Amino acid sequence: MNGNKICIVIVSLFVIAFAVSCAFFPAVKGEFIQWDDDHFVTGNVYLQKGPAADFLFKVSYGAFQPVVNATFLLEYKAFGLNAAVFHTTNIVLHVLNCLLVFWLILLIGENIPVALVTALLFGLHPLRVESVAWVSERKDVLYGFFFLLTLISYCFYLRKYSVKWYLGAIALFALAMGSKVFAAPLPVVLFAMDYLLGRKWDRRMFLEKTPFFLLAIGGLALAVRGLGGTFLVGEHGQRAVFQFMEPFYGLGLYLFKTLIPVDLSVVYPYPTRDILFYGMSAVSILSFCSIAAAAVSSMKYTRKFIFGFVLSILMVLPVLQIFPFLDAIIADRYTYIPAVGVSFVAAVGFFAIYRALSGRDRLLGMELMAALVLVLFTLAFLTFQRTLVWKDTVTILSDTITKQPDADVVHNNRGIAYLKRGDLDRAFSDYETEIKINPRYSHAYHNRGVIYQMRGDLDNAIADFTAAIELDPTLMQPYSHRAIAYFDKREYSKCMEDVRRATALGENIRPDFLTALEKALEEDQRQP
């Protein structure tokens, strides 16, 4: 690489880092969100009280993520619950990933302009905001970091079949799986890279993938165990009948949001089975078949398009809800690594068109380049605006409610944020709305009961705590709060019974409350 090219690479890296950092800068001022951040960070007793091993290797809410937990632990030990530090780490990791995308595209033989545009399209797209601005989604930027490093290490391995690069790729893939199980398709992606780089298909090619497949299978087994083997089949009304259509509907939404990134939301509920659902599913199936046919046809001329297509499809396939495990049809964060393939295809396609048109009409080529710059600035602007929405819980969940007013859980979590602010009326209203949307959501009854209790309406508080317990007897907070309500009503026997139940479920009852309850029971027994 000559001196001029080195300078161009350095300038390109600076442009990528500067543009992406500016687009996501508002996230630095963001708070923790009452949407998983309370589970993984702010309310995680294992993180804050230890022991460290319990936090690192504990499967929390279906996620086995020891590498992610290690970063959380380091940040907490060094800076406490400083949200700016956690957000800055996410931004830095995303910037590094954009630089790694640039490096990877250069390694597979592309020129600097294609690598630069691929990295910018990937890094500046508004669909990346959820992965970067949400602390809990550290798993996305971290698994992406190790995933991209694995591909880069594998590229170096293919140059001289060096053992150190091969072992490095295996170790990096293990770290990727330890960050997020969605890295599992990588072994198949390696075959696509073999094809892209023109490698001869032989026995060695298959044997060397064995450690990668073993790591992927092991990670998937831990993920299924964390989910408890539970999937949502049958929970959305005759899901078995529509299960073929829904993945294509989701794929169509991903494509639409990629091309037109507007009305982004934290939640995208499952669609109603109406004419719009069937129409969009049919269009999505036709679009998929057309794109796949075009990618296959392009193999006569280049291997680039089929590589980008396979990378995107392989990495998005696990989240197309073929075997549903989430109560949402799509999620912005699931596009993180799949977007690398899409961005690569878009960049290669753009420069192919640019070369063809600029050769005939130089002015037309300049107009095409201006259009590309406009697209990149537009994406950066939309990303900046979307990042502002992730300022705090109320802001992001209010945005979600505006777009998805009947989404489950969202009102409840915004109610918790309002309650923390001391706004009881808005919190109460949100809990009431949540109960109307999902009458079987136990947490909403408990939270509404807390407000009744704070207002001194003990009878309604007890009724809500009882409803929460009936819906989910494993919740300990309704027992402890109902115990306090019974104590205030001087029903000490019922209070003691709830204390026992709460304690059995792991609740730590305050010693002063237990002392007061014991004295009250003694005095109650003395009375004739």
Side-chain angles (χ1 to χ4, degrees):
M1 186 180 292
N2 59 43
N4 289 337
K5 193 170 184 179
I6 291 174
C7 290
I8 295 173
V9 167
I10 292 173
V11 171
S12 298
L13 293 174
F14 174 78
V15 169
I16 294 167
F18 180 76
V20 175
S21 297
C22 289
F24 287 93
F25 181 74
V28 175
K29 299 180 180 180
E31 300 176 4
F32 291 109
I33 305 298
Q34 187 69 35
W35 192 279
D36 288 355
D37 285 357
D38 51 325
H39 298 314
F40 291 111
V41 182
T42 58
N44 194 307
V45 295
Y46 296 98
L47 168 64
Q48 299 172 30
K49 296 182 180 179
D54 287 348
F55 174 67
L56 289 175
F57 299 104
K58 182 177 177 60
V59 176
S60 299
Y61 300 94
F64 179 71
Q65 49 182 42
V67 180
V68 175
N69 289 347
T71 65
F72 286 158
L73 186 62
L74 289 172
E75 288 165 311
Y76 177 74
K77 294 296 185 183
F79 303 99
L81 293 176
N82 186 332
V85 172
F86 285 79
H87 283 299
T88 300
T89 302
N90 275 20
I91 295 172
V92 169
L93 283 169
H94 181 56
V95 170
L96 290 175
N97 287 342
C98 296
L99 300 179
L100 290 177
V101 168
F102 178 83
W103 188 12
L104 175 64
I105 302 306
L106 287 182
L107 284 176
I108 61 178
E110 284 301 325
N111 56 41
I112 294 175
V114 171
L116 175 61
V117 172
T118 301
L120 289 174
L121 287 174
F122 165 74
L124 294 175
H125 200 285
L127 285 175
R128 305 295 87 75
V129 173
E130 186 170 288
S131 297
V132 180
W134 189 3
V135 171
S136 292
E137 285 310 308
R138 171 72 54 78
K139 56 178 78 75
D140 281 335
V141 289
L142 198 58
Y143 109 84
F145 178 72
F146 291 117
F147 186 99
L148 292 167
L149 280 176
T150 302
L151 295 183
I152 289 170
S153 183
Y154 188 74
C155 282
F156 279 110
Y157 161 70
L158 292 181
R159 290 186 172 186
K160 295 183 178 179
Y161 292 100
S162 171
V163 174
K164 67 177 182 180
W165 288 110
Y166 176 68
L167 295 178
I170 294 173
L172 289 165
F173 179 52
L175 291 171
M177 289 296 296
S179 301
K180 192 169 186 176
V181 72
F182 289 172
L186 182 137
V188 185
V189 174
L190 296 181
F191 282 114
M193 183 162 285
D194 290 331
Y195 169 77
L196 174 67
L197 298 178
R199 186 180 178 189
K200 181 181 178 181
W201 292 72
D202 53 21
R203 183 184 178 189
R204 176 179 182 174
M205 178 191 293
F206 289 90
L207 289 177
E208 68 189 14
K209 306 296 190 302
T210 301
F212 296 96
F213 277 108
L214 291 176
L215 285 170
I217 293 169
L220 289 170
L222 286 171
V224 172
R225 181 182 178 185
L227 289 169
T230 59
F231 295 91
L232 299 178
V233 176
E235 292 189 9
H236 297 282
Q238 299 180 336
R239 277 195 52 79
V241 178
F242 304 97
Q243 200 162 331
F244 172 77
M245 302 291 283
E246 282 183 344
F248 285 103
Y249 179 90
L251 188 62
L253 279 181
Y254 280 126
L255 180 60
F256 179 80
K257 295 294 182 183
T258 298
L259 296 175
I260 308 176
V262 296
D263 289 331
L264 303 184
S265 176
V266 175
V267 176
Y268 300 92
Y270 276 89
T272 304
R273 275 70 180 194
D274 54 16
I275 189 65
L276 181 61
F277 166 76
Y278 290 112
M280 285 192 64
S281 298
V283 170
S284 179
I285 292 172
L286 291 174
S287 299
F288 172 77
C289 292
S290 300
I291 294 171
V296 172
S297 299
S298 71
M299 294 169 65
K300 299 176 183 178
Y301 314 101
T302 179
R303 303 184 180 199
K304 299 172 185 178
F305 291 109
I306 193 67
F307 170 75
F309 174 77
V310 170
L311 172 60
S312 301
I313 292 299
L314 281 176
M315 296 310 298
V316 82
L317 189 63
V319 296
L320 288 180
Q321 306 296 15
I322 297 172
F323 300 102
F325 59 93
L326 280 178
D327 204 12
I329 188 68
I330 65 169
D332 294 356
R333 60 191 179 275
Y334 293 157
T335 65
Y336 196 77
I337 287 298
V340 175
V342 174
S343 301
F344 176 63
V345 169
V348 170
F350 171 82
F351 281 103
I353 296 172
Y354 172 78
R355 285 191 296 270
L357 294 181
S358 62
R360 302 175 186 174
D361 187 335
R362 187 175 180 182
L363 180 60
L364 186 60
M366 293 175 63
E367 291 174 348
L368 193 62
M369 193 61 68
L372 172 64
V373 173
L374 179 62
V375 167
L376 292 173
F377 270 104
T378 301
L379 291 177
F381 174 77
L382 292 174
T383 293
F384 187 89
Q385 293 296 316
R386 181 64 183 165
T387 305
L388 290 173
V389 177
W390 280 85
K391 174 186 175 184
D392 55 41
T393 301
V394 171
T395 304
I396 184 61
L397 295 189
S398 295
D399 174 81
T400 305
I401 289 168
T402 300
K403 297 166 181 173
Q404 309 289 350
D406 295 328
D408 196 7
V409 183
V410 182
H411 289 86
N412 177 76
N413 286 26
R414 189 176 69 170
I416 295 173
Y418 279 136
L419 183 59
K420 289 180 177 179
R421 293 182 177 185
D423 193 340
L424 300 188
D425 292 337
R426 288 183 176 178
F428 186 86
S429 176
D430 269 350
Y431 297 144
E432 293 240 288
T433 303
E434 182 63 43
I435 290 170
K436 290 178 183 177
I437 293 172
N438 183 2
R440 298 196 60 78
Y441 188 53
S442 57
H443 292 277
Y445 287 98
H446 166 257
N447 293 334
R448 188 177 68 174
V450 169
I451 294 184
Y452 276 130
Q453 193 170 36
M454 295 173 70
R455 291 173 171 174
D457 189 347
L458 299 181
D459 290 332
N460 276 322
I462 290 172
D464 271 355
F465 296 145
T466 302
I469 291 168
E470 289 175 351
L471 289 169
D472 188 354
T474 65
L475 291 179
M476 56 188 177
Q477 292 91 346
Y479 285 113
S480 58
H481 281 106
R482 191 172 69 173
I484 295 171
Y486 279 138
F487 183 90
D488 291 341
K489 291 192 69 174
R490 300 180 182 275
E491 297 181 25
Y492 301 122
S493 297
K494 292 181 178 179
C495 174
M496 179 56 78
E497 180 62 27
D498 275 354
V499 165
R500 292 193 182 105
R501 291 176 179 177
T503 303
L505 290 170
E507 182 75 300
N508 293 318
I509 307 297
R510 295 198 327 266
D512 58 331
F513 180 78
L514 291 174
T515 301
L517 177 58
E518 290 171 358
K519 289 181 179 179
L521 284 169
E522 290 175 2
E523 291 177 2
D524 197 43
Q525 291 172 357
R526 290 183 193 140
Q527 293 180 3

